[in-house]
Amino acid sequence: MSVEIIDIKCDFLVVGGGLAGLYSAVRASSFGQCVVVTKQTLVQSNSYWAQGGIAAAVDPEDSPVFHKEDTIAAGRGLCDGRAVEILVEEGRERVADLINLGMKFDSDDSGLLLGLEGGHSKRRVLHAGGDSTGKEMIEFLISFVRSSKSVTILELVTVTDIISDGDKCYGVWGYDEGRGSYVRISSSSTILATGGASALYRRTTNPEGASGEGISLAWRAGADISDMEFVQFHPTVFSGLRENSFLLSEAIRGEGAYLLNARGERFMEHYSPLLELAQRDVVSKAIHSEMRSCGEDYVYLDLSHMDPGFVKKRFSNIHRLCMDSGFDLARDRIPVAPAAHYTIGGVRTGLMGETNIEGLYACGEVSNTGVHGANRLASNSLLECMVFAKRCVDGAALGLYQGGVREFSGFMLADTRKANAEFFNHARDAVIKGMSAHLGIVREREGIEEFVARISEISSEAKGVSGWFAFKLRTMLDVCLLVAQAALLRRESRGAHMRSDYPQEDVDYEKHLVFRKGFEVYGSD
C-alpha cells in the first residue's frame, strides 16, 4: 500500500499542547527549532480547564520549606525529596518568569491574591480570571508560541508511534487528520507532554482525549512506567440530575465552604482535624463513606453562610455553570461526588525529565517525577508542568545528538473508522465500566482480577481490528492493565490507592512499583 509520508526535522519535538507542552516550547524556542504536535487543538487540553490555580511560596510569610512539608505530607511517604525541593524552589522562579513575560495573575492594591486549598498550611495558590486559571495561562502561552519564529504548531496530528530502538529515541510517527497523510518527525530530543488517563473512568473531570496515549506510546517504546495504581479523584464534582458534570474547585473549600451529607450534617470532623481542608485522598474517601452510609450518590457543598457577592465574583465561571444546571452556588446546597481527576503515575523520569531511553523526556501529567508520591497536593500540577518542562528542555539542550531515520512502522489509521466503530464503542464502554467499578476510590483483589480477565477477553476479540480503532483500543488496554497490575501488587492502602482487603498502610510498600515492557515487574524502590 502506498502511503504519503511528510518528513519534518527539528531540534526539539514536543508532543502535547497543554501547559507542560507549551511551556516546553517557550523554553526550547531559545535553543533551536521546536515542533509542537497535538492530536486536538491547543485549547482542548486538560490544562485549559484547570480552575484552582498554581501553588508557589511567593508570599513573604510563606516559604519553600513549608510548601515542601505540605507536599511530602500529602504524598504519604512516597515523594522523592530532591524532586520536591526542586519543585518548590524553582517553582517560585517559574512563576516569576511567567509574570515577567506578561502573564497577569489576580491581584489587588496589596499584591497577588493568594488562595488556600486542601493540604496547604499557607495561602499560596495564585489564580487568574477568578476560577479560570488554566484558560488564562494556556491562552497566554498560545499567543507567545504562535508569535515565535522558532516554533511550529501541528494541530490535529495523532502520534501513533515513538521511533526508538529501545536505547535511543529518534522522533515520532504521526497521522495528520487534515491532510490525511502520515508525518515522520525526526528530532534530536522528544518531550512527551500528553497528559493523563482519567477519561478512562465514567465519572471524570477530564476531556475525552485524556486516555493515556503518551503512557502507552512510551511503554511500547521501552520506557519505564511507575506508580500507576495512584489515580487521584477530585472530591467535589457536580452531581446533578442532568447529564452535565463539572468540577467545583478545591479553592471553594479553601474560602470556607462546608461539606454536608444527605442528612444535612457536616461530617469531615469525623475524618480529619483539617475538616474540609484535608488532603484530597482523605476528603474523597470521606465522601465515599458518607454516600454509602446515607444510601445516596452525592453529598452537598454548601456556601450559603458566605457572602453571596464574594462567591459570585470569586467563582464567576463555576457560579454560571451551576446556574445553567438550576442551582445558585451562593445560596443552594450543590450536589457533588468524587470523580477521576489526575493520573499520578506515568512515564518514570529523573530530575531533568529524562527517561531510560536516550533522547526521550516527559513532563506534566504523563510523567512520574516523584513529586506527588501517593497523593498529589492540590495545585501542584501546574507548577510541576512548568518546573520540569524547563528541566526537560535544559537537559535536552545539553545532550543534543543527531536523530536517525527508521523504517515506517506506524499504525495505519486512515479509512478504517467506520468498519470497526461498533466493536470499538462496545469495547470502550466495557473498559470504562470496569475501571469505574474495580479501580475507583476503593478496590479489592477479586474485582481487580475480574477486570484483568475482561481486558484479556477484549484483547482476544480485538485481533481483527485495524487502523485508528486498533490504536485507540491498544492505548486503553495498555494503560488499564498497568493500573490493574500495580493495584493488585500494592497490598495496602496508601494515598489515592485504597484496598478494602488491605485497609492499612504497610511499611513494606513504602516503595515504587516500576514496569517495563517485556518484564512482569521491572523493579521497585
Side-chain angles (χ1 to χ4, degrees):
M1 178 180 176
S2 176
V3 178
E4 180 188 2
I5 300 174
I6 298 172
D7 272 309
I8 299 173
K9 294 184 178 181
C10 58
D11 300 306
F12 300 89
L13 168 61
V14 177
V15 185
L19 179 61
L22 291 174
Y23 198 72
S24 294
V26 169
R27 303 298 307 189
S29 65
S30 300
F31 295 99
Q33 291 298 313
C34 176
V35 172
V36 177
V37 179
T38 174
K39 67 179 179 180
Q40 297 174 312
T41 65
L42 291 180
V43 296
Q44 289 178 294
S45 69
N46 214 17
S47 300
Y48 189 85
W49 302 105
Q51 294 176 347
I54 180 168
V58 297
D59 189 86
E61 296 185 3
D62 198 2
S63 163
V65 174
F66 300 147
H67 192 179
K68 177 184 176 181
E69 290 173 349
D70 293 343
T71 299
I72 289 177
R76 300 292 190 271
L78 287 188
C79 292
D80 180 323
R82 179 63 184 131
V84 175
E85 287 176 2
I86 288 169
L87 177 78
V88 299
E89 292 284 354
E90 296 184 10
R92 295 195 301 180
E93 299 171 14
R94 300 291 76 78
V95 169
D97 289 345
L98 267 188
I99 293 172
N100 290 335
L101 283 174
M103 175 68 196
K104 303 294 185 184
F105 290 102
D106 294 344
S107 61
D108 59 17
D109 292 340
S110 62
L112 291 168
L113 295 174
L114 301 174
L116 180 66
E117 297 188 6
H120 289 274
S121 59
K122 300 284 185 179
R123 283 187 171 269
R124 64 168 66 100
V125 181
L126 296 87
H127 46 82
D131 53 4
S132 301
T133 305
K135 175 178 180 293
E136 297 293 329
M137 292 180 71
I138 292 298
E139 289 181 347
F140 172 77
L141 291 174
I142 287 174
S143 66
F144 184 93
V145 298
R146 287 200 187 281
S147 65
S148 173
K149 294 181 180 180
S150 300
V151 180
T152 300
I153 300 169
L154 301 179
E155 296 179 303
L156 303 178
V157 173
T158 297
V159 172
T160 60
D161 282 291
I162 291 172
I163 305 171
S164 170
D165 58 12
D167 295 318
K168 287 186 178 182
C169 172
Y170 301 92
V172 302
W173 285 105
Y175 179 70
D176 188 320
E177 297 273 356
R179 299 179 185 179
S181 59
Y182 288 87
V183 181
R184 175 171 50 198
I185 309 175
S186 301
S187 178
S188 299
S189 56
T190 298
I191 300 172
L192 285 180
T194 53
S198 289
L200 296 176
Y201 288 84
R202 192 172 303 283
R203 273 189 63 80
T204 178
T205 64
N206 287 204
E208 185 177 350
S211 56
E213 286 176 16
I215 296 172
S216 174
L217 289 168
W219 160 253
R220 289 185 171 260
D224 290 347
I225 310 295
S226 57
D227 289 352
M228 289 299 293
E229 65 270 38
F230 298 113
V231 179
Q232 187 176 66
F233 282 68
H234 196 288
T236 53
V237 175
F238 180 76
S239 183
L241 298 177
R242 303 181 186 180
E243 289 298 317
N244 58 323
S245 72
F246 49 88
L247 186 149
L248 284 92
S249 169
E250 191 110 358
I252 292 177
R253 282 177 283 126
E255 296 296 348
Y258 298 151
L259 283 169
L260 310 177
N261 61 25
R263 295 186 287 268
E265 305 161 339
R266 285 185 73 181
F267 56 85
M268 281 306 303
E269 64 181 7
H270 303 301
Y271 299 92
S272 171
L274 298 176
L275 304 177
E276 282 84 1
L277 288 179
Q279 294 93 342
R280 282 183 178 171
D281 60 326
V282 175
V283 180
S284 291
K285 291 168 190 173
I287 291 174
H288 181 270
S289 177
E290 291 296 316
M291 291 193 303
R292 294 188 62 179
S293 174
C294 295
E296 297 288 354
D297 295 330
Y298 55 85
V299 295
Y300 293 111
L301 195 64
D302 184 14
L303 290 76
S304 60
H305 57 286
M306 298 167 60
D307 175 45
F310 169 78
V311 170
K312 294 175 183 179
K313 181 179 179 181
R314 174 68 176 86
F315 304 108
S316 57
N317 187 48
I318 297 173
H319 181 262
R320 177 183 58 79
L321 290 171
C322 286
M323 291 296 289
D324 290 345
S325 300
F327 292 85
D328 186 335
L329 180 66
R331 301 183 185 280
D332 298 330
R333 293 177 176 178
I334 312 299
V336 295
H341 182 58
Y342 191 88
T343 307
I344 292 174
V347 183
R348 188 171 177 82
T349 72
L351 297 179
M352 298 303 289
E354 76 278 15
T355 72
N356 58 296
I357 297 176
E358 185 178 352
L360 181 65
Y361 299 79
C363 58
E365 193 173 352
V366 72
S367 70
N368 183 225
T369 61
V371 300
H372 303 311
N375 177 57
R376 176 175 68 91
L377 182 66
S379 289
N380 266 357
S381 56
L382 295 183
L383 192 69
E384 182 195 28
C385 285
M386 294 173 54
V387 168
F388 286 92
K390 179 182 183 297
R391 285 186 152 251
C392 281
V393 173
D394 289 350
L398 288 172
L400 292 180
Y401 64 90
Q402 293 301 312
V405 174
R406 292 296 183 265
E407 292 301 314
F408 179 77
S409 61
F411 262 81
M412 308 297 287
L413 301 190
D415 303 323
T416 60
R417 299 191 182 198
K418 186 176 180 180
N420 298 296
E422 184 176 352
F423 174 80
F424 173 76
N425 289 333
H426 170 74
R428 179 186 59 192
D429 289 346
V431 166
I432 291 175
K433 179 180 179 182
M435 287 289 283
S436 302
H438 303 304
L439 289 164
I441 295 175
V442 179
R443 303 98 177 260
E444 49 84 26
R445 180 187 60 81
E446 184 176 353
I448 303 172
E449 290 179 342
E450 177 184 322
F451 182 49
V452 169
R454 185 69 182 109
I455 291 174
S456 179
E457 290 176 2
I458 295 171
S459 296
S460 297
E461 295 167 0
K463 288 181 179 177
V465 178
S466 60
W468 189 85
F469 286 115
F471 170 71
K472 297 296 290 184
L473 191 55
R474 180 191 82 172
T475 292
M476 291 192 296
L477 296 181
D478 282 348
V479 174
C480 291
L481 192 56
L482 285 165
V483 174
Q485 289 174 333
L488 273 176
L489 287 169
R490 185 170 289 279
R491 298 184 182 95
E492 66 160 354
S493 292
R494 182 185 296 270
H497 171 73
M498 181 175 176
R499 287 277 299 262
S500 60
D501 45 353
Y502 295 96
Q504 304 300 322
E505 282 189 9
D506 185 339
V507 68
D508 290 340
Y509 286 93
E510 200 164 287
K511 59 186 178 182
H512 303 274
L513 300 176
V514 185
F515 295 83
R516 182 181 293 181
K517 187 171 176 59
F519 297 82
E520 184 176 356
V521 182
Y522 183 66
S524 61
D525 61 11

